[in-house]
Amino acid sequence: MMVGILYGVGVGPGDPDLITVKGMRILQQVPVVAFPAGTGGKPGIAQQIVTPWLRSGQVELSLKFPFVQDEAVLQHAWQVAAKTVWDVLRQGQDVAFVSEGDVSFYSTFTYLAQTVQCLDPAVEVKPIPGVASPMAAAAALGLPLTVRSQRLTILPALYTVADLETAIAHADVIVLMKVSSVYEQVWSVLANHGLLEHSYVVERATQPHQVIYADLRDRPSLQLPYFSLLVVQIAGREKVENIEKNL
């Protein structure tokens, strides 16, 4: 029997209508759809996104991926998830693993696919790209993420102020993901550089409870959910400074 294909389908940041046509086609043709398990007994975001589009009779696999930094815990979770998926693939059934955003952009799918192929190098993996959260946030703000030769830096998680200082020194636009736990620290750095007026926070981009904060000068202590990111337009600050110099 032929081994099934493992698809990774990026389903976008939250709005079910942002799934690509190709992603939708794959999603509806496979017999098995897998996704990261939610927390607290609730469905995860990827599952919520695809639920309106699933066919009756499709098998749904909920895979647990803990939100921790412990490498041993993560490795164990990937092994368990990969074995669960492999048990389906070896029966000749295709599996679509759906992931919030894009499957190649800081995605759990990368680890799942690599671990499955360690179990069986013959497994064919087919990634289907999706809309990533920085692009969704820029659309929500009604702003271009970058223009012309602007340099973009994306930090997936900020662990030291030095990372942000380096980005400010070299980039024209910065996107800080997973900013909720370090927001006050980030706010102070941006204040020191005069960047708060050109900074924006987007909570849950494209989702029903999306919230946008523009001009952060009077918002030093926002309480943000996990799925929040911050966009800094350094080029915007420089444009203002150049205008002031010419006055």
Side-chain angles (χ1 to χ4, degrees):
M1 180 179 292
M2 295 289 292
V3 176
I5 297 171
L6 175 58
Y7 294 95
V9 181
V11 295
D15 183 347
D17 289 339
L18 290 178
I19 301 177
T20 66
V21 173
K22 185 172 185 178
M24 178 73 75
R25 178 173 58 80
I26 297 298
L27 180 67
Q28 295 188 334
Q29 78 180 28
V30 297
V32 181
V33 177
F35 39 73
T39 59
K42 298 179 180 179
I45 291 179
Q47 182 182 1
Q48 293 177 46
I49 293 170
V50 301
T51 292
W53 307 121
L54 298 183
R55 297 181 289 104
S56 61
Q58 284 180 293
V59 176
E60 300 181 30
L61 288 181
S62 180
L63 306 175
K64 293 183 179 180
F65 300 100
F67 292 93
V68 297
Q69 297 296 322
D70 188 310
E71 191 67 21
V73 173
L74 291 173
Q75 288 283 352
H76 177 72
W78 298 334
Q79 290 286 344
V80 172
K83 179 62 168 55
T84 301
V85 171
W86 164 234
D87 285 342
V88 177
L89 295 171
R90 68 179 180 176
Q91 297 174 29
Q93 297 189 79
D94 296 338
V95 177
F97 179 85
V98 296
S99 177
E100 182 189 2
D102 175 79
V103 290
S104 66
F105 187 71
Y106 306 118
S107 172
T108 302
F109 176 70
T110 300
Y111 307 106
L112 175 66
Q114 290 175 346
T115 310
V116 167
Q117 288 189 311
C118 285
L119 293 175
D120 185 354
V123 171
E124 184 176 6
V125 175
K126 292 188 176 182
I128 311 299
V131 177
S133 56
M135 289 68 184
L141 291 168
L143 297 172
L145 189 58
T146 56
V147 295
R148 297 178 68 83
S149 59
Q150 288 183 339
R151 296 161 297 180
L152 171 66
T153 294
I154 298 176
L155 298 179
L158 186 68
Y159 297 114
T160 68
V161 172
D163 292 338
L164 181 53
E165 294 283 0
T166 300
I168 290 172
H170 295 94
D172 300 303
V173 180
I174 301 172
V175 176
L176 301 176
M177 304 176 68
K178 300 179 182 177
V179 73
S180 58
S181 63
V182 292
Y183 175 77
E184 292 187 6
Q185 184 182 13
V186 167
W187 190 93
S188 296
V189 174
L190 297 178
N192 290 336
H193 287 273
L195 288 167
L196 292 171
E197 187 178 358
H198 307 284
S199 300
Y200 309 83
V201 168
V202 182
E203 298 180 7
R204 303 185 180 94
T206 80
Q207 298 177 33
H209 303 297
Q210 172 184 284
V211 178
I212 293 174
Y213 299 99
D215 188 348
L216 304 178
R217 286 177 292 180
D218 62 344
R219 303 182 186 278
S221 303
L222 288 176
Q223 300 300 308
L224 301 172
Y226 180 80
F227 289 104
S228 299
L229 59 75
L230 194 152
V231 179
V232 185
Q233 292 191 318
I234 297 174
R237 175 200 62 181
E238 292 172 346
K239 181 177 180 182
V240 171
E241 290 177 348
N242 289 335
I243 291 172
E244 291 175 345
K245 288 178 182 178
N246 294 324
L247 290 178

